[in-house]
Amino acid sequence: MSVISVNQKLATELGLNYDRESGIVAGFYNGYHIAFIMQNNLRQIIVSVSNGTGQMPEKEILKQAHKENKKVLSNPSVQGYRATYAIPNAMTDNGKLERSAAAAAVLTEFLKANCLRDCSELSGRPDESSCYYVSGGLRFLTRDEYDTERNRAQSSFNEQNSKRGNPIAGIVGALIGSFAGLVVMVLIGQLGYVSPWTGLVMGVCVAKGYELLSGKFDTVGLVCSILIMVGMTYLGNQLDWAITIARAYEANVFDAFPVVNEVVKANELLPVYYRNLALYYFAMLCGALPTIYGLMKNRQLLNVSYPIGPEAHEEVVYVSSNDETDSE
């Protein structure tokens, strides 16, 4: 089973809703609104609770849930009313499903035993709170809070979308970021490995560098980032060979760099050279391009708000360019 299949079966088993767009499983279970999300390939369970009087719960009490149920709950994180627990991974998909279901059961029973009430993560209000997707993330809110947060997200998105990026500054930022990826690439290459992590680092650094200095990561940023990554990956391969040649001939790297191709040809190492270059580009495809795609997709999701709890059948709300609301 894929992650999607596990999430779909988990939603069916617990009577929750599975949102295909965000991959979130959420709904009302055993007296509480709960949600499952994937973060860094690890499934997490999230709740929002108060101490019964509308006040934020004590962190130590919520962390106690992990201490009592370490097999299914780990790494507790508490921020305000909201508590997040990682679910230890399992070897099989059935094991992942069983642990996730067990996490929901033991956590909600623990909350009941400690008199903690389901509530909004924003105000602590227990009335009519539910699960919503707002501006790229999961939120536990009441209906009126959701309307307010949705409108705020729409205004913020329109304001950000109306900004004009500075492509020149963005290219400078992408070049600066690419050097971090190049350093990682060469360091790992000198150890004799070609890792997809080099592409991941390259993608994050280039895209974030462009966005930070440009002020906006758009289609121009996407094209520029890909071109810079292609060029810097080639440069990284050349530098990797230059260091190897400098060591072999006890020469200076700066002297070895301009003659890399000549030395490679003279020693009949062209097949090895092109194999390494192909592996580096493959690492870039595996790491960098999905990273940039994720950034673009997340940017698009910033203009989407909708319920993912019991009201999941309602319309999805999009932001239009003229600050009005469209629905589907």
Side-chain angles (χ1 to χ4, degrees):
M1 287 188 291
S2 64
V3 172
I4 294 176
S5 298
V6 172
N7 286 342
Q8 288 174 331
K9 289 194 173 185
L10 179 62
T12 301
E13 183 173 322
L14 300 184
L16 306 177
N17 296 292
Y18 170 64
D19 178 50
R20 184 174 292 275
E21 284 295 320
S22 64
I24 297 173
V25 176
F28 195 69
Y29 175 80
N30 199 20
Y32 296 88
H33 286 93
I34 64 172
F36 295 89
I37 67 170
M38 292 296 293
Q39 188 74 27
N40 299 323
N41 294 320
L42 192 65
R43 188 171 278 101
Q44 296 178 336
I45 182 171
I46 309 174
V47 294
S48 179
V49 292
S50 69
N51 65 1
T53 62
Q55 301 299 313
M56 292 182 184
E58 294 183 21
K59 291 184 178 181
E60 289 306 314
I61 292 178
L62 287 172
K63 289 181 178 180
Q64 189 65 33
H66 151 66
K67 296 177 182 178
E68 297 178 6
N69 304 279
K70 292 184 179 181
K71 290 185 177 180
V72 293
L73 298 173
S74 66
N75 299 329
S77 174
V78 182
Q79 294 182 326
Y81 297 101
R82 182 163 163 157
T84 303
Y85 302 85
I87 300 173
N89 219 333
M91 295 294 293
T92 65
D93 289 328
N94 284 333
K96 295 173 184 177
L97 185 61
E98 290 173 2
R99 286 192 179 182
S100 298
V106 299
L107 179 57
T108 52
E109 287 301 324
F110 173 86
L111 297 175
K112 284 184 179 180
N114 287 272
C115 301
L116 296 172
R117 298 181 62 186
D118 187 54
C119 73
S120 159
E121 68 177 63
L122 196 62
S123 63
R125 286 169 52 187
D127 56 313
E128 300 178 0
S129 64
S130 189
C131 308
Y132 299 94
Y133 187 87
V134 183
S135 191
L138 166 75
R139 303 292 300 275
F140 295 92
L141 304 167
T142 62
R143 182 67 202 212
D144 58 330
E145 290 171 346
Y146 162 66
D147 291 336
T148 300
E149 291 300 299
R150 182 190 65 195
N151 292 334
R152 182 181 290 115
Q154 291 172 358
S155 298
S156 177
F157 178 84
N158 281 335
E159 181 180 350
Q160 181 67 25
N161 206 40
S162 64
K163 289 182 179 179
R164 296 185 62 183
N166 185 334
I168 303 301
I171 291 172
V172 173
L175 286 171
I176 294 173
S178 69
F179 282 106
L182 184 144
V183 170
V184 172
M185 176 181 170
V186 172
L187 287 176
I188 294 179
Q190 285 299 302
L191 294 175
Y193 300 100
V194 177
S195 170
W197 288 105
T198 61
L200 180 64
V201 173
M202 181 75 78
V204 171
C205 292
V206 169
K208 285 298 182 182
Y210 186 96
E211 185 178 35
L212 284 173
L213 294 194
S214 171
K216 184 178 182 180
F217 190 81
D218 48 16
T219 304
V220 174
L222 174 64
V223 174
C224 291
S225 294
I226 291 175
L227 291 176
I228 288 172
M229 282 189 294
V230 169
M232 293 303 286
T233 298
Y234 175 80
L235 180 62
N237 184 58
Q238 293 292 101
L239 183 57
D240 188 16
W241 276 92
I243 294 173
T244 301
I245 292 170
R247 286 178 175 175
Y249 290 91
E250 297 182 353
N252 188 293
V253 175
F254 297 102
D255 293 331
F257 187 84
V259 296
V260 166
N261 292 343
E262 288 81 356
V263 173
V264 168
K265 290 179 181 178
N267 289 273
E268 299 182 349
L269 293 172
L270 280 176
V272 179
Y273 173 87
Y274 285 117
R275 183 196 67 188
N276 286 358
L277 182 60
L279 287 173
Y280 278 126
Y281 278 125
F282 179 72
M284 186 191 76
L285 288 172
C286 291
L289 296 186
T291 299
I292 291 181
Y293 171 77
L295 290 173
M296 295 292 289
K297 183 177 180 180
N298 288 340
R299 180 176 174 271
Q300 293 173 353
L301 289 176
L302 292 178
N303 74 330
V304 182
S305 298
Y306 53 88
I308 53 178
E311 307 130 305
H313 62 279
E314 293 188 6
E315 295 176 331
V316 177
V317 179
Y318 295 88
V319 180
S320 63
S321 58
N322 58 1
D323 204 21
E324 296 176 352
T325 302
D326 297 334
S327 61
E328 184 180 83

